[in-house]
Amino acid sequence: SYDGSVREFDVEKQVFSEVFATYDDSSEYKGKAGFDIDEGYRFWVQYGILDHRCMFLSTSVGSVLHIDLRLSNSVTFHQKDVSEKKINTVHLHPNGQTLATCGLDNTVKLW
């Protein structure tokens, strides 16, 4: 989303709940999983995939994050500068070992 958050929708209750959010480096957000990840007005979460209880997210500034939802939404991986431009998609191979990214730079990268 454009506010740097990820939400899930409960169909039965018909409500959204926030799963993860990015924050700037303000002291009020210290201790939150997304602390100091938000880079300002040009930053947003672009794409996400859910794999068991973990999430991979790509951003508008070319970074990739891994959030482990089992560990109080802790960011276990934050790779900046994966791309010079926005990353449109991120995908985890079924083997659990290979991550693919593709963005506006027209490059597919395997990690």
Side-chain angles (χ1 to χ4, degrees), residues 30-99:
K30 195 165 184 100
K32 294 193 178 261
F35 175 73
D36 197 23
I37 292 176
D38 192 330
E39 296 184 21
Y41 73 93
R42 63 185 191 94
F43 179 90
W44 65 85
V45 173
Q46 176 66 26
Y47 183 81
I49 60 167
L50 184 63
D51 177 48
H52 301 295
R53 292 301 298 164
C54 298
M55 219 178 346
F56 283 96
L57 304 174
S58 66
T59 71
S60 59
V61 294
S63 60
V64 174
L65 298 104
H66 178 260
I67 293 89
D68 191 334
L69 301 173
R70 300 165 297 178
L71 301 172
S72 300
N73 293 351
S74 64
V75 176
T76 56
F77 173 82
H78 181 203
Q79 181 64 47
K80 295 183 178 186
D81 302 323
V82 170
S83 172
E84 292 181 12
K85 297 182 179 182
K86 173 175 73 171
I87 296 176
N88 288 329
T89 207
V90 58
H91 184 76
L92 182 64
H93 189 278
N95 69 13
Q97 302 292 320
T98 307
L99 188 70

Side-chain angles (χ1 to χ4, degrees), residues 7-47:
R7 294 177 177 86
E8 66 182 351
F9 182 66
D10 185 323
V11 176
E12 291 179 12
K13 297 178 184 175
Q14 295 192 3
V15 294
F16 283 95
S17 58
E18 188 173 271
V19 176
F20 177 77
T22 59
Y23 303 97
D24 60 24
D25 60 356
S26 300
S27 60
E28 64 189 284
Y29 303 121
K30 195 165 184 100
K32 294 193 178 261
F35 175 73
D36 197 23
I37 292 176
D38 192 330
E39 296 184 21
Y41 73 93
R42 63 185 191 94
F43 179 90
W44 65 85
V45 173
Q46 176 66 26
Y47 183 81

